[in-house]
Amino acid sequence: MLPGIAQAREGIDTDLDGDGAGDLAYLEGAFERHRGGYNGRAPDAVLGEMREDLALLAAVLRRPHPARDRTDLARTAAGISGLVAIVQHDRGDQADAHRWFATAAKAARESGDRRMTAWVLGRHAMVGLNYGAPGQAARIAEQARREAGARPSGAAALAAAVNARALAAVGDFPGARRAVDDVRTLAEQLDGPESADTWFGYPAQKHAVHLSQAYTLLGDTRAAYRAQDDALALTSSPSVMTRALIAMDTAACLRVDGDPSAAAAMAAAVYDRLPPAYRSGLVHSRAQLLHQHLDGAPRRLLGDALP
């Protein structure tokens, strides 16, 4: 762009009304664009692509806005902050994921959008669920379910799915099975944007991935294997992390079925094939969980594969 052209437009726009409508529209579009998921990109690459949009969002939030625009902006801020939190969760930066989810929840509540608040809380619960604090996860997921209400939505289904996994992890098997029944009922009623294959939707593939982990934690390996088959059939090839997590669930089921050697060998092979960008964070945490439940030679085999 020619020098001074951008500055001239900013000056003209400010002299007209100064409401920053262009920035608001851009940020709303940025949320829609970024929530599409990794699409074969590494988490660090996704964060890099979001950097300039985060700087713009911070700048726009510092400006005064009419009440309606501020509400819309708060909702967009909640969504974008929640996306950053998801990536930090996947990278294994638990502390920063908690901070970004707290920021996202604050923005969601300011917007008054309970579905957005439920989505943020449901995603936030996954930090504790995947990194050794399932009790915390169950509490946050229950908050998410209350915010979502009884109406079917992607956020309500997500909250029920995470709640099922968390309850199974803490040993509340009856509660977990009730939550599984709830999420199945909700998932059957979703369509359109609510079931879209994005970080904001709850598509069939995501449903199968959640059921795989829930049934694995419940020790119901027959149902878990079915969910894993469904998840793999619905997962596109670039989904490196998702495929690795499904394989870790399969390995965990092999241990439950009495074959710890096969479990360790499968998990070690999956981990060995991972690109460097995926060897920390979520997949590593899932492998460590399996490692804790092994002993003897299988434990050593998997331990040697992990850093």
Side-chain angles (χ1 to χ4, degrees):
M1 187 173 290
L2 293 174
I5 294 296
Q7 292 86 342
R9 189 210 56 77
E10 290 171 1
I12 294 168
D13 187 68
T14 299
D15 289 340
L16 286 170
D17 57 21
D19 66 359
D23 286 339
L24 296 177
Y26 172 80
L27 288 169
E28 182 180 356
F31 172 45
E32 182 175 353
R33 183 174 69 255
H34 292 309
R35 72 190 185 195
Y38 290 115
N39 295 315
R41 299 166 297 169
D44 286 356
V46 172
L47 284 182
E49 293 176 12
M50 296 182 72
R51 185 177 292 115
E52 290 186 7
D53 293 342
L54 293 171
L56 176 61
L57 176 60
V60 172
L61 281 166
R62 288 193 292 267
R63 304 174 197 162
H65 300 280
R68 181 174 179 178
D69 287 349
R70 177 70 189 190
T71 296
D72 292 342
L73 179 59
R75 184 183 185 279
T76 299
I80 291 177
S81 298
L83 298 181
V84 177
I86 290 170
V87 178
Q88 292 295 66
H89 158 270
D90 292 349
R91 292 178 68 249
D93 193 336
Q94 300 173 53
D96 206 45
H98 279 298
R99 287 190 287 265
W100 276 102
F101 275 125
T103 296
K106 183 189 299 183
R109 290 191 175 98
E110 180 181 326
S111 76
D113 187 332
R114 295 190 66 177
R115 187 169 70 96
M116 175 63 79
T117 303
W119 175 76
V120 169
L121 291 173
R123 282 286 186 172
H124 191 178
M126 293 176 70
V127 181
L129 175 62
N130 288 314
Y131 293 103
Q136 178 193 61
R139 291 191 296 273
I140 297 176
E142 187 58 40
Q143 293 176 32
R145 297 192 70 177
R146 289 196 296 270
E147 288 288 344
R151 185 176 180 179
S153 68
L158 171 69
V162 177
N163 196 33
R165 293 169 57 186
L167 291 173
V170 299
D172 182 357
F173 288 2
R177 291 193 177 279
R178 286 193 297 272
V180 166
D181 290 341
D182 290 344
V183 72
R184 282 186 172 280
T185 300
L186 288 165
E188 291 171 357
Q189 300 176 68
L190 301 181
D191 56 19
E194 300 297 333
S195 61
D197 188 11
T198 69
W199 274 331
F200 199 66
Y202 191 83
Q205 182 264 1
K206 188 179 297 182
H207 179 54
V209 170
H210 281 292
L211 288 182
S212 167
Q213 174 68 177
Y215 284 129
T216 298
L217 292 169
L218 284 166
D220 186 347
T221 58
R222 181 177 297 181
Y225 288 136
R226 285 198 301 269
Q228 288 153 24
D229 288 342
D230 291 343
L232 287 171
L234 294 166
T235 299
S236 59
S237 56
S239 300
V240 175
M241 186 179 303
T242 299
R243 288 183 176 277
L245 292 172
I246 294 168
M248 289 296 176
D249 281 351
T250 301
C253 287
L254 289 172
R255 183 197 68 82
V256 172
D257 286 342
D259 196 345
S261 296
M266 182 175 189
V270 168
Y271 198 82
D272 186 60
R273 290 194 300 267
L274 281 175
Y278 297 91
R279 291 191 178 188
S280 60
L282 187 52
V283 179
H284 184 263
S285 175
R286 194 69 60 83
Q288 279 188 317
L289 180 63
L290 175 60
H291 182 254
Q292 292 168 10
H293 287 90
L294 297 171
D295 53 27
R299 181 182 177 88
R300 290 192 296 273
L301 173 64
L302 183 53
D304 289 342
L306 299 177

